[in-house]
Amino acid sequence: AQTVTQSQPEMSVQEAETVTLSCTYDTSENNYYLFWYKQPPSRQMILVIRQEAYKQQNATENRFSVNFQKAAKSFSLKISDSQLGDTAMYFCAFMKQGNRDDKIIFGKGTRLHILP
Amino acid sequence: EAQVTQNPRYLITVTGKKLTVTCSQNMNHEYMSWYRQDPGLGLRQIYYSMNVEVTDKGDVPEGYKVSRKEKRNFPLILESPSPNQTSLYFCASRAGLYNSPLHFGNGTRLTVT
């Protein structure tokens, strides 16, 4: 069974700094997808970024980028020039390709505080 | 606006009193699912549905029921709620494409006393 591990339960950084959230996963699948979701205090779940395992190029969305290391089964999220609005819980998630059971496995989350 | 609508946002009830949390999406998504979020446990899938009249259990289905009579609606039913079902619940949907991400509702905070 697939598992997703986020080893940092909580982090704090100063505004404008760069922060990296770690995520590792365990799978025997070769084709899969990885996601980062953000949950601000409003508790909405917002997709931040996604990565297809077959793509070697790391995904980027504005200030958000990932470091995808397939062999190491690592999928970290880097937030550059952090802003107060980045304060949220962040969840890493895994979905295998051809996932007909619609199961997406979530990590337990990292609570990120951006300090003014 | 494309969205998943969940109601109510907050619900306080007593043990044993049946309740329903509604979920509706306007994106014509095939897949819908329910998750519960608990501190330190992340999100865990309760039930999912691949299409109308097709539902199946997730990781934590005990004490819950669902139905999918129409494509857009996927209500979560607690026939006899218990305090251990106090949690934050999310409905989500996605298109049938393999890499399509989940779209979440705004969550329902349920307290069972």
Side-chain angles (χ1 to χ4, degrees), chain A residues 43-76:
Chain A
R43 81 186 191 209
Q44 267 185 293
M45 291 287 288
I46 302 164
L47 177 68
V48 175
I49 201 165
R50 61 178 155 177
Q51 174 83 40
E52 290 87 349
Y54 65 85
K55 288 187 178 178
Q56 292 187 340
Q57 187 173 7
N58 289 323
T60 299
E61 289 287 343
N62 301 313
R63 297 182 295 108
F64 298 87
S65 62
V66 298
N67 183 5
F68 173 50
Q69 302 288 330
K70 191 173 184 180
K73 295 179 183 174
S74 172
F75 183 60
S76 60

Side-chain angles (χ1 to χ4, degrees), chain A residues 39 42-45, chain B residues 6 9-10 34-39 42-44 46 85-91 106-111:
Chain A
Q39 186 180 43
S42 65
R43 81 186 191 209
Q44 267 185 293
M45 291 287 288
Chain B
Q6 250 181 273
R9 289 265 288 170
Y10 299 91
W34 278 100
Y35 290 83
R36 62 177 287 174
Q37 182 183 355
D38 301 290
L43 281 82
R44 295 177 293 168
I46 303 171
Q85 293 177 300
T86 292
S87 187
L88 177 59
Y89 291 86
F90 284 99
C91 180
N106 285 336
T108 296
R109 172 73 67 187
L110 172 64
T111 302

Side-chain angles (χ1 to χ4, degrees), chain B residues 11-100:
Chain B
L11 181 56
I12 300 174
T13 190
V14 296
T15 298
K17 186 175 181 181
K18 181 180 177 179
L19 66 89
T20 300
V21 184
T22 63
C23 175
S24 181
Q25 50 93 5
N26 62 2
M27 295 169 279
N28 201 37
H29 284 168
E30 289 83 0
Y31 296 112
M32 297 187 74
S33 53
W34 278 100
Y35 290 83
R36 62 177 287 174
Q37 182 183 355
D38 301 290
L41 296 177
L43 281 82
R44 295 177 293 168
Q45 191 184 58
I46 303 171
Y47 267 95
Y48 63 93
S49 169
M50 292 188 289
N51 216 323
V52 175
E53 301 293 0
V54 179
T55 64
D56 211 339
K57 297 177 181 179
D59 294 319
V60 288
E62 292 77 21
Y64 304 95
K65 284 176 58 177
V66 293
S67 68
R68 187 94 181 270
K69 294 186 171 64
E70 304 163 286
K71 195 172 186 179
R72 63 183 290 127
N73 295 324
F74 191 46
L76 180 69
I77 303 157
L78 283 72
E79 295 271 3
S80 183
S82 62
N84 65 12
Q85 293 177 300
T86 292
S87 187
L88 177 59
Y89 291 86
F90 284 99
C91 180
S93 72
R94 68 180 183 92
L97 299 173
Y98 291 139
N99 68 343
S100 61

Side-chain angles (χ1 to χ4, degrees), chain A residues 8 19-25 34 36 49 51 58-59 64-69 73-79 92:
Chain A
Q8 304 147 313
V19 58
T20 299
L21 282 60
S22 67
C23 173
T24 58
Y25 56 94
L34 296 161
W36 278 99
I49 201 165
Q51 174 83 40
N58 289 323
F64 298 87
S65 62
V66 298
N67 183 5
F68 173 50
Q69 302 288 330
K73 295 179 183 174
S74 172
F75 183 60
S76 60
L77 175 69
K78 185 172 84 170
I79 306 174
C92 179

